[in-house]
Amino acid sequence: LSVEPTDYYVTTTTKDPDGGTTSTKKNGNDVITTIDKTWSDGDQTHVELDHTTNVITVTETPKGAAALTPITIAAGQSGTSGKTTATNDLPDGGVELTHASAGTSTDGTRSTDTTTVDNSGNRTYGKTQVPDAVSVTASDYYV
């Protein structure tokens, strides 16, 4: 039986405006140790936070597929796993996750969803519309 606060965890899950969910796990010292994000397209991102080294480990699991190889990201750096780019803003900030949509919407744009979790567990969300690439092939243009 342990009486150390670091051995006890509380998980908080919220439904996100993008249609996914975000879960954070805090230990008894009120420190976030993991973030689990399920994106609206069914992909999942798992983030482990090491507050001693300020390094995060990110693992993307595409919907219906096996987990990708975990990547480690030092403080102040970004890295990409699958369709998710993670930015490590430890020790003073938190973690920002940006996930690109797989296809093109009916209006000719793609979108990216962003979820940021700060050190207190507060969440912010954003969505950016990205226009599809423009053709540079001469045969695509008419005179």
Side-chain angles (χ1 to χ4, degrees):
L1 180 64
S2 174
V3 293
E4 294 298 318
T6 56
D7 292 334
Y8 294 92
Y9 295 92
V10 174
T11 300
T12 303
T13 302
T14 57
K15 184 160 177 64
D16 305 335
D18 67 5
T21 60
T22 302
S23 296
T24 54
K25 186 190 304 186
K26 287 185 177 183
N27 65 19
N29 290 330
D30 207 31
V31 174
I32 294 176
T33 58
T34 62
I35 301 168
D36 287 299
K37 172 71 179 174
T38 301
W39 301 97
S40 60
D41 65 3
D43 291 354
Q44 297 177 337
T45 304
H46 175 75
V47 182
E48 295 180 22
L49 294 78
D50 183 330
H51 292 277
T52 303
T53 62
N54 293 320
V55 169
I56 63 172
T57 302
V58 179
T59 307
E60 177 88 356
T61 304
K63 181 181 180 181
L68 303 176
T69 302
I71 61 170
T72 56
I73 305 170
Q77 302 294 313
S78 296
T80 300
S81 178
K83 294 187 286 183
T84 300
T85 298
T87 301
N88 179 354
D89 291 324
L90 295 177
D92 299 323
V95 175
E96 179 181 275
L97 302 171
T98 302
H99 189 75
S101 66
T104 302
S105 66
T106 56
D107 64 358
T109 62
R110 292 172 285 123
S111 66
T112 58
D113 292 314
T114 301
T115 299
T116 303
V117 179
D118 71 13
N119 285 334
S120 297
N122 298 315
R123 296 150 167 82
T124 57
Y125 306 96
K127 185 178 211 68
T128 305
Q129 295 293 335
V130 180
D132 281 345
V134 176
S135 174
V136 293
T137 305
S139 62
D140 288 340
Y141 294 92
Y142 302 97
V143 180

